[in-house]
Amino acid sequence: MAIDVPEHKTLNERLDEEDNFLNKKSVLDEYQVEEELDNNIHYAMEYHLPIRFRLQNEGNPHDLSGYCVYIHPVTKELRIQIVP
């Protein structure tokens, strides 16, 4: 015999709402995105991991793959050793 208890239904609905709240991805602002990108590039340079960029020049995409060998501390210009 199944008994429908309203308290259980309410509790289950509340738990579902909490799960949805906890699983939402946070939205990053522009500063956080830039910081995350900088961290990833520094990590790749430190551990000699390959990186890949997609550059846009007037709507024409160009892929660049290689290893970051230097980052200028002020201008943040990268020197990339290209992989053939």
Side-chain angles (χ1 to χ4, degrees), residues 21-33:
F21 176 74
L22 295 175
N23 291 329
K24 288 184 180 178
K25 290 185 179 180
S26 62
V27 177
L28 300 177
D29 65 10
E30 186 176 332
Y31 174 77
Q32 290 171 322
V33 170

Side-chain angles (χ1 to χ4, degrees), residues 5-49:
V5 181
E7 293 84 15
H8 288 171
K9 185 176 181 181
T10 305
L11 179 61
N12 285 336
E13 289 173 357
R14 201 171 14 176
L15 289 174
D16 286 342
E17 289 173 5
E18 288 176 9
D19 285 345
N20 288 335
F21 176 74
L22 295 175
N23 291 329
K24 288 184 180 178
K25 290 185 179 180
S26 62
V27 177
L28 300 177
D29 65 10
E30 186 176 332
Y31 174 77
Q32 290 171 322
V33 170
E34 183 178 343
E35 187 175 338
E36 184 77 20
L37 182 61
D38 286 349
N39 289 340
N40 288 341
I41 292 171
H42 280 90
Y43 184 84
M45 187 174 92
E46 183 176 347
Y47 293 102
H48 197 64
L49 299 173

